[in-house]
Amino acid sequence: MSVYVDSAIHALRGRLMCHMFSPDLDELHAMAERIGIEQRWFQDPLTMRVSWPHYDIDQTRRAIAIDLGAVVCDRYQTVAMAAIIQGRPDKLRRIRALADPSRAFAPATHVPAWLIEQGFAQIWNWEEADWPPESE
């Protein structure tokens, strides 16, 4: 399992921020500790009004996380990972539609191969009936 950082850069209180996330919360918290982020800054959908578990991190800590092995995601990869983390096949179907090479506008064609590379080969074919996936 990996820790991921997105490419979305947003200004927050004078700093440029992005998201750090993982399907494995233990690994996410371990990375947060390694880059100097306190666990109290964890954004937990069970206790807060956020849609998925993550940390907001600044650009300095993002660079450190990448040096320590965090995987950089573009917007489509991030949404696919969010679908996995949230258990949301509807989100995955939206990305799947944007990855269909037969469409005139298919900006996410790279996502299926990327998910396979990340160890989530089975996800691309998951349907609601198969959710959540059985662990291998």
Side-chain angles (χ1 to χ4, degrees):
M1 197 67 55
S2 295
V3 173
Y4 301 88
V5 292
D6 65 13
S7 300
I9 309 299
H10 303 283
L12 177 68
R13 297 185 188 134
R15 297 188 314 185
L16 297 177
M17 308 291 281
C18 71
H19 303 105
M20 183 172 72
F21 51 93
S22 176
D24 183 331
L25 293 182
D26 291 335
E27 208 166 319
L28 178 62
H29 295 312
M31 177 65 84
E33 186 175 330
R34 290 175 72 194
I35 66 172
I37 299 290
E38 295 179 34
Q39 191 165 343
R40 68 185 175 99
W41 295 335
F42 175 61
Q43 298 196 27
D44 186 348
L46 298 176
T47 60
M48 311 172 89
R49 289 192 63 173
V50 295
S51 59
W52 60 320
H54 69 279
Y55 286 93
D56 288 338
I57 61 172
D58 64 23
Q59 293 302 286
T60 301
R61 288 193 170 97
R62 180 181 188 269
I64 295 167
I66 292 168
D67 287 345
L68 292 172
V71 177
V72 177
C73 299
D74 67 20
R75 66 176 19 161
Y76 305 105
Q77 295 161 335
T78 298
V79 172
M81 289 306 301
I84 293 165
I85 292 167
Q86 294 172 304
R88 295 273 312 268
D90 57 313
K91 269 190 180 181
L92 191 61
R93 280 193 293 279
R94 284 186 232 142
I95 292 298
R96 208 174 0 209
L98 291 172
D100 182 352
S102 68
R103 294 174 56 135
F105 180 69
T109 55
H110 62 290
V111 173
W114 182 82
L115 284 172
I116 291 167
E117 180 183 302
Q118 296 304 309
F120 296 101
Q122 73 281 17
I123 286 176
W124 205 244
N125 296 315
W126 284 345
E127 296 297 330
E128 285 185 66
D130 300 324
W131 205 275
E134 295 179 25
S135 43
E136 296 178 7

